[in-house]
């Protein structure tokens, strides 16, 4: 059941029904411009991760600024993007199950698609699926560059898997997936740089060993919002997969630069708009956005530009906002912007983005891949 659109273009932000997912379009566009500049200055391609925005509309905004395509984690996300006209999609993840592989192959009729593997059994299954579909599929080898999640070990095990792909009649060896997730949120810049230097060394060694057996590596992909400058400077990575940069969140805002100040490359562009729905309890304003309205895996949201207000607790549909006696107490019906602590799971709770520019609703975009976790 799709949510009723919470606003109409032309309305004021005050008139948006809540809880609603609001994008500040000036900040959003500034973030896209900034990342496009990094990409063109470094000569490293940008393939933003759509796990964050789940929207072909936003994919098109990114591609209009030079992004070469999109990454997704799930076949369902790939479908939503391809159906929305995105021409080049990398599933930066392993896909297990014949039904899912058949769906991916079906998509390759309308978009260029690629998928990752970290096991010989996945290569065999991909070959069977491509053969059955009568198509060729591009397959990347995911290597574990130190994060300890998915990925075969760099070096000989990765080369062996690449050779199996290259030797499969319906598969094309697409390159290496070399993303380091844990590095993104290491707070100190020196730490992020050190961990990505190690990741790049693993990738570089593997690319060289592939070359020695005659295999070219068209894509070496990785990098996120926390580390992309280091992958861009490595000379090894060919594509950056940052996702959160277009919106940001309060957890990413805790990353520090070399001087110990908060990294300020990107602006906060994503908000959950909420309404004060009760002032019955003393010293407390209750808002209509609880933890069904935002991800809480990285903590509770902050109240935007109101350091005097603090979200101290959340239940399913209620947020508790505490305030001090000195402050102007939030009024019943007052609207407040909340800054999500983690953008990705927050977006997945909404059917609509409400695009706002300087206080006016400009557009509504569907979160087309919402809930597409399969
Ligand atoms: N690439 C891969 C494979 C990921 O799993 C993720 C996020 O988890 C990203 C890129 C994007 O990371 P971020 O949203 O932190 O920029
Ligand atoms: Mn995330």
């Amino acid at each position: 059941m799709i949510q009723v659109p919470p606003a109409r273009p032309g309305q004021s932000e005050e008139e948006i029904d809540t809880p609603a997912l609001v994008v500040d379009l000036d900040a959003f566009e500034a973030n896209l411009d900034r990342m496009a500049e990094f990409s063109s200055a470094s000569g490293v391609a940008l393939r933003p991760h759509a796990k964050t925005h789940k929207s072909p509309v936003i994919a098109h905004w990114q591609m209009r600024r030079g992004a070469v395509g999109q990454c997704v984690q799930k076949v369902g996300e790939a479908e939503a993007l391809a159906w929305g006209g995105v021409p080049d999609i990398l599933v930066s993840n392993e896909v297990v199950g014949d039904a899912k592989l058949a769906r991916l192959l079906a998509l390759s009729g309308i978009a260029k698609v690629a998928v990752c593997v970290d096991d010989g059994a996945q290569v065999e299954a991909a070959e069977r699926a491509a053969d059955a579909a009568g198509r060729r599929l591009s397959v990347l080898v995911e290597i574990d560059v130190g994060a300890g999640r998915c990925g075969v070990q760099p070096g000989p095990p990765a080369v062996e898997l690449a050779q199996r792909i290259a030797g499969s009649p319906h598969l094309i060896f697409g390159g290496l997936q070399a993303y380091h997730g844990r590095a993104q949120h290491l707070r100190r810049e020196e730490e992020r740089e050190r961990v990505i230097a190690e990741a790049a060394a693993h990738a570089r060694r593997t690319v060289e060993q592939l070359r020695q057996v005659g295999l070219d590596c068209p894509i070496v992909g990785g990098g996120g919002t926390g580390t992309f400058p280091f992958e861009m400077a490595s000379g090894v990575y060919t594509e950056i997969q940052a996702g959160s940069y277009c919106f940001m969140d309060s957890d990413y805002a805790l990353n520090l630069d070399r001087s110990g100040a908060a990294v300020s490359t990107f602006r906060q562009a994503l908000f959950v708009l909420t309404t004060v729905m009760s002032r019955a309890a003393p010293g407390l304003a209750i808002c209509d956005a609880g933890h069904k309205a935002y991800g809480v895996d990285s903590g509770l949201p902050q109240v935007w530009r109101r350091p005097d207000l603090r979200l101290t607790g959340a239940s399913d549909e209620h947020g508790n906002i505490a305030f001090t006696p000195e402050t102007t107490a939030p009024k019943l019906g007052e609207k407040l912007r909340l800054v999500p602590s983690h953008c990705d799971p927050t977006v997945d709770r909404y059917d609509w983005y409400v695009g706002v520019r300087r206080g006016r609703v400009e557009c509504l975009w569907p979160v087309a891949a919402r809930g597409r976790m399969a």
Side-chain angles (χ1 to χ4, degrees):
M1 189 60 177
I2 289 187
Q3 292 159 0
V4 174
R8 271 182 287 115
Q11 287 181 323
S12 72
E13 180 165 334
E14 274 299 299
E15 292 174 287
I16 300 172
D17 205 4
T18 64
L21 190 65
V22 164
V23 177
D24 179 320
L25 294 169
D26 284 337
F28 167 75
E29 287 200 67
N31 292 346
L32 300 193
D33 286 341
R34 202 75 211 280
M35 188 58 105
E37 284 161 19
F38 275 104
S39 174
S40 60
S42 65
V44 177
L46 177 65
R47 182 187 290 278
H49 217 301
K51 71 190 284 263
T52 300
H53 58 67
K54 291 175 161 278
S55 159
V57 181
I58 292 179
H60 287 298
W61 278 80
Q62 292 169 323
M63 291 185 299
R64 278 293 287 265
R65 283 169 165 80
V68 295
Q70 295 279 303
C71 291
V72 297
Q73 300 290 58
K74 302 293 184 132
V75 175
E77 293 172 341
E79 287 170 335
L81 292 194
W83 297 341
V86 174
D88 190 338
I89 302 165
L90 165 64
V91 184
S92 62
N93 204 0
E94 288 70 24
V95 170
V96 172
D98 291 343
K100 284 191 174 68
L101 286 166
R103 282 164 56 204
L104 197 61
L105 263 305
L107 273 191
S108 69
I110 56 168
K112 190 172 159 198
V113 292
V115 68
C116 295
V117 296
D118 64 0
D119 194 293
Q122 295 157 357
V123 178
E124 279 170 32
E127 168 60 23
R128 274 198 312 276
D131 186 10
R135 293 209 171 95
R136 294 192 81 195
L137 181 65
S138 178
V139 179
L140 281 71
V141 171
E142 179 166 13
I143 56 173
D144 176 8
V145 289
R149 187 172 64 177
C150 298
V152 71
Q153 285 308 299
V159 174
E160 194 199 312
L161 209 49
Q163 287 177 308
R164 283 178 77 156
I165 295 166
S168 303
H170 296 87
L171 304 182
I172 301 158
F173 174 59
L176 295 177
Q177 170 68 15
Y179 175 69
H180 198 309
R182 233 173 4 86
Q184 303 309 318
H185 298 268
L186 294 172
R187 296 306 176 208
R188 294 181 56 237
E189 184 170 327
E190 292 88 337
E191 274 289 282
R192 296 195 298 279
E193 183 170 27
R194 186 183 59 74
V195 171
I196 296 307
E198 287 168 16
H202 288 306
R204 190 175 297 113
R205 174 166 59 92
T206 309
V207 170
E208 279 161 11
Q209 292 176 12
L210 284 163
R211 216 166 271 143
Q212 281 161 17
V213 300
L215 284 178
D216 197 29
C217 213
I219 294 178
V220 179
T225 302
T227 65
F228 72 90
F230 308 122
E231 282 92 348
M232 281 180 174
S234 69
V236 184
Y237 285 84
T238 66
E239 289 190 354
I240 296 304
Q241 306 180 337
S244 303
Y245 78 95
C246 65
F247 293 148
M248 291 300 284
D249 52 38
S250 66
D251 191 62
Y252 256 128
L254 296 174
N255 275 9
L256 305 176
D257 67 17
R258 267 208 164 50
S259 72
V263 176
S264 58
T265 314
F266 303 109
R267 291 165 59 182
Q268 186 60 43
L270 186 80
F271 302 92
V272 168
L273 191 71
T274 186
T275 304
V276 175
M277 56 178 272
S278 169
R279 281 294 323 277
L284 209 55
I286 306 298
C287 73
D288 66 357
H291 52 59
K292 284 185 187 171
Y294 37 75
V296 291
D297 59 299
S298 304
L300 290 171
Q302 290 166 2
V303 186
W304 176 243
R305 293 197 167 146
R306 289 292 302 264
D308 53 328
L309 305 180
R310 209 159 66 81
L311 205 74
T312 54
S315 44
D316 285 346
E317 285 87 10
H318 300 83
N320 299 359
I321 297 174
F323 54 89
T324 52
E326 301 81 55
T327 195
T328 318
K331 295 189 189 60
L332 191 65
E334 188 171 331
K335 299 232 156 92
L336 298 166
R337 282 182 175 195
L338 304 180
V339 179
S341 60
H342 190 181
C343 54
D344 312 60
T346 300
V347 166
D348 199 42
R349 286 159 160 81
Y350 294 85
D351 283 322
W352 299 98
Y353 288 108
V354 183
V356 170
R357 203 183 301 271
R358 280 158 251 160
R360 283 269 148 218
V361 176
E362 184 172 301
C363 53
L364 271 91
W365 299 330
V367 185
R370 180 187 178 198
R372 292 193 141 256
M373 65 179 97

